[in-house]
Amino acid sequence: MKTIITSILFALGLTAAHAQFPGGPGGPGGMQSGDGNGRNRSTNNAQTPTLNLEGTAPKGNSKITGFVIDSAATKAVEFANIALYNKATGKPVDGTVADEKGKFTLKSIAVGDYKLMISFIGFKDKTVDNIKIAKGQDLDLGVIKMSPDVRTLDEVVVTGEKSIIEEKVDRLVYNAEKDLTARGGDAADVLKKVPMLSVDLDGNVSLRGSQNIRVLINNKPSTIVASSIADALKMIPADLIKSVEVITSPSAKYDAEGSAGIINIITKKSTLQGLTLSADAGVGARGSNLSLNGNFRQGKLGITLGGFGRAFYNKANSTLDQTTLQNGASLLTKQNTDAYDNGLFGRYNIGFDYELSKNQSLNAGISFGTRNMVRTQDMTSNLFTNNALTATTYRDVTTKDLSNNVDMNLDYIRTFKVPGREWSISTQYSRNTLTNNFNADLLNESSALLSRQKNLNSNLNQEATIQTDYQTPIRKNQMIEFGAKTIMRQVNSDYSYQVAGATGAFAADARNPVGSLDYSQNIVAGYLSYTYSTANKYTFKVGSRYEYTTIDAKDQIGKISIPSYGTLVPSINVSKSLKAGTTLKAAYNRRIQRPGLQQLNPNYNAANPYNISIGNPNLKPEMTNNFELSLSTNIKKTYLNASVFSRSTNNSIMRLSAPSDTLIGAIITTFQNIGKQEVMGANVFANVYLTPKWTLNGGVDLYYNYLEGKVQGLDGTSINTSNSGWVIGGRIMSSLALNKGWAMQAHGGMRGNQVTLQGVQGSFYMYSFGVKKDFNNKKGSLGLATENFLGGMKMKSTSVTPVLNQTMVNNIYNQNIKLTFSYKIGKMTFAAPKKSKSVKNDDVKEGGDNN
């Protein structure tokens, strides 16, 4: 798929001004983070197309190499744009971008007569004419000198850097390394600024209004993400994120999981020979971070070693106004809670890659992660029965959310003489141990201890994966891909709820006995995908994937009967390149969403005794049909992308709340397959270059959400209900590069009220501003950023049913100011990136309000 993008762009864009490359939207300089198949093959700016699917350029076995230098300064012209034209037709047939040393290579060139055009901002275009390629001949053009041309500086649209937003044939890419305000933060801070994504105040991520997504890290799954996306994002520092890929219409090669799509977080990697070391640190009012990373590459061996830690602090206040109808009485609960959060996160990794031979390589890696989240809460609750105060309770609660995880992978990839043909075997093992405990002290008005409660819940989430993939071109404009995969997943949860008097020992609560869940899930899958590109710039990618799932589950009572099921998942992607760099795309795919650990875990969490949560191990998967139509174009200095979409889901998994049968004034919240959900909406995004150094980008998301399901009625039975409404969100960002290494950036974003089956989830907003100074030849930087500096945020949510009326208001005091520092040392020389392949498990639904 990477070559499809390259071919289309060279056919359409190289006749335009040279300033459109490499930094302009869709230019070849923006193709380094993926190849369209979910593999991060290169993280540098050099591009080497390996397969032409346009049907316009024959391929051969020759290559052309050379070096581009500045004739005045006698130094390399980094990332110069290289275009190869057929002399007979005058059409571009291939292209690439020079590396940091000015070196470029064009591979798989057929016999013929060509000319080479070299361009870059601030230089006069250079043409190398009368290039003749004979059969089996390689051509070294040696040193090519470019003459400076300062007059062109007033005409350019884009500098030599990548755009912060890029549109690819099957995904949108947000280049997070250009985001100044996120430094010292975490991955959630980065995702808040990505088009089509929304991140709420708890770190839950939505794509086009749905939390039914799959998050990958460097194209790989992890059990930390399977357990909780919000918690996993807190473990990834923003400073290490290179880019974020949003894939709304995955092909058959991807797992069928993720109703709304896939988010792939690409971290920074080294493609340099030699040894490099880097340090990044940040100190802020709400959080501090430190990371150390080293990269070593010599010959065929590459080693990466890194580690980071992050600590943060925050406080919040919430109020609960909750009315329930129980046993003919109206019970009103009014609650006020002050909360204090302390978190400590760490992640450490070591990776290896080794070139076995010219066309075979091995990749291996081990990473360890830890999460330590502690929340202390002071709760005051008043219970009114028929408007008369009947009880007041005071409660101090300490909640601990702890985890340790390990991910290990070993991957083998082989390429062949035929460009684009490759075979791979990928394996991965991931294990995550979690502890979710709370201790509560019940006090009187004088703060004397009356009794104690605690909940002990230990969890294990592990999976092993084996997959193999093969792809090969058919002629010069077709590609076929197929593969097989198996995932063996195991979830275990042991829990107990205990109570004690003021001085007595803890004992099991008879109402909530000790329990357990053993949940095994095995998935076997196979897929077939076919790509066909025409000479008139149509590209068709069709495929189908079949997954068969077996489940073996039991709790303390006995076996849970969950039947096996097979799922056929077709996908169709069509794109058409029009004039003036305009691309029209249409897509359809079917997706499946399996329940995740948070939704399955039957642990009885009563940290707040008036708002209790419990999982549901009997959940079924939900099925979704997605349709999408999008248009992207360049209008002078503006890149514009607009899309419309629809999503239809059956067996939708959502949170539902109802009054407790036994606890006065309390509600029980669990997950259910509610029935049906329909979403229709549109996204518009624009990126404008106001000047060569000043960019402005932003977008608006608007969609209509309709939900249909069952809630509890007055007589205790289930009744049909529905809810619907419009949801609007948006974001805007501006970046300005100043002289002498200074840069500034500002960002703002919001999401309006979002409907749920039982009510409305409140709106929220956020904003930030940052400034950075690069020094010492860009080896180091110092930055200052602030977030939500005008005050905290308020989020109001409501739930209304015949037996429940609940209003919750959260006040979060998340103002922050932070100082960031980074420095790099080491001797670096360019090395061609190695091919890599990795496991991609795109399958587990996360917790939260999945709308």
Side-chain angles (χ1 to χ4, degrees), residues 427-430 462-466 486-490 841:
T427 64
Q428 177 167 297
Y429 174 75
S430 186
Q462 63 181 350
E463 60 183 38
T465 305
I466 302 173
T486 182
I487 306 173
M488 294 156 283
R489 183 174 290 122
Q490 179 69 41
N841 289 353

Side-chain angles (χ1 to χ4, degrees), residues 61 108 321 339 445 668 673 781 823:
N61 296 317
S108 306
D321 194 322
E445 294 183 2
I668 305 293
N673 294 105
S781 70
Y823 196 78

Side-chain angles (χ1 to χ4, degrees), residues 217-218 220 235-237 240 267-270 291-295 303-309 346-352 364-370 405-409:
I217 303 172
N218 292 324
K220 298 182 178 72
M235 297 176 65
I236 306 173
L240 295 186
T267 59
K268 297 174 183 177
K269 297 180 181 179
S270 173
S291 65
L292 300 171
N293 293 277
N295 298 278
I303 301 174
T304 62
L305 181 66
F308 71 84
R347 194 160 181 83
Y348 319 94
N349 64 277
I350 183 169
F352 305 87
I366 303 176
S367 65
F368 301 90
T370 183
N405 76 284
V406 59
D407 295 318
M408 298 182 289
N409 70 284

Side-chain angles (χ1 to χ4, degrees), residues 418-471:
V418 177
R421 179 177 296 171
E422 65 180 44
W423 172 58
S424 65
I425 299 177
S426 305
T427 64
Q428 177 167 297
Y429 174 75
S430 186
R431 178 185 177 95
N432 191 17
T433 57
L434 305 96
T435 299
N436 300 106
N437 296 345
F438 77 79
N439 290 273
D441 292 339
L442 277 68
L443 312 172
N444 62 17
E445 294 183 2
S446 303
S447 299
L449 181 64
L450 299 178
S451 63
R452 294 178 295 167
Q453 301 170 344
K454 68 178 178 180
N455 178 220
L456 304 177
N457 181 209
S458 60
N459 303 277
L460 172 65
N461 190 357
Q462 63 181 350
E463 60 183 38
T465 305
I466 302 173
Q467 75 179 56
T468 182
D469 300 278
Y470 181 79
Q471 68 176 43

Side-chain angles (χ1 to χ4, degrees), residues 316-510:
N317 169 266
S318 64
T319 60
L320 176 67
D321 194 322
Q322 177 175 286
T323 301
T324 61
L325 296 180
Q326 294 174 268
N327 301 321
S330 175
L331 303 174
L332 171 62
T333 302
K334 287 183 173 291
Q335 186 179 79
N336 185 80
T337 303
D338 291 315
Y340 306 88
D341 294 326
N342 291 276
L344 182 63
F345 306 94
R347 194 160 181 83
Y348 319 94
N349 64 277
I350 183 169
F352 305 87
D353 64 78
Y354 186 76
E355 188 177 353
L356 298 172
S357 64
K358 183 178 180 180
N359 63 341
Q360 299 183 79
S361 62
L362 281 176
N363 296 275
I366 303 176
S367 65
F368 301 90
T370 183
R371 180 181 78 244
N372 190 324
M373 281 279 294
V374 178
R375 163 172 277 204
T376 58
Q377 297 171 287
D378 299 326
M379 297 180 180
T380 300
S381 304
N382 293 297
L383 179 62
F384 298 81
T385 303
N386 296 326
N387 296 321
L389 179 64
T390 54
T392 298
T393 61
Y394 304 92
R395 186 178 179 91
D396 291 346
V397 184
T398 300
T399 303
K400 294 184 177 181
D401 183 3
L402 317 174
S403 76
N404 293 282
N405 76 284
V406 59
D407 295 318
M408 298 182 289
N409 70 284
L410 178 62
D411 311 313
Y412 166 82
I413 185 169
R414 177 175 180 177
T415 58
F416 300 85
K417 292 183 178 180
V418 177
R421 179 177 296 171
E422 65 180 44
W423 172 58
S424 65
I425 299 177
S426 305
T427 64
Q428 177 167 297
Y429 174 75
S430 186
R431 178 185 177 95
N432 191 17
T433 57
L434 305 96
T435 299
N436 300 106
N437 296 345
F438 77 79
N439 290 273
D441 292 339
L442 277 68
L443 312 172
N444 62 17
E445 294 183 2
S446 303
S447 299
L449 181 64
L450 299 178
S451 63
R452 294 178 295 167
Q453 301 170 344
K454 68 178 178 180
N455 178 220
L456 304 177
N457 181 209
S458 60
N459 303 277
L460 172 65
N461 190 357
Q462 63 181 350
E463 60 183 38
T465 305
I466 302 173
Q467 75 179 56
T468 182
D469 300 278
Y470 181 79
Q471 68 176 43
T472 184
I474 305 173
R475 299 179 181 176
K476 59 189 178 183
N477 64 335
Q478 301 174 62
M479 171 79 83
I480 189 169
E481 303 165 275
F482 56 87
K485 180 176 186 177
T486 182
I487 306 173
M488 294 156 283
R489 183 174 290 122
Q490 179 69 41
V491 173
N492 300 103
S493 177
D494 295 302
Y495 53 91
S496 63
Y497 189 81
Q498 302 178 11
V499 296
T503 58
F506 280 99
D509 186 349

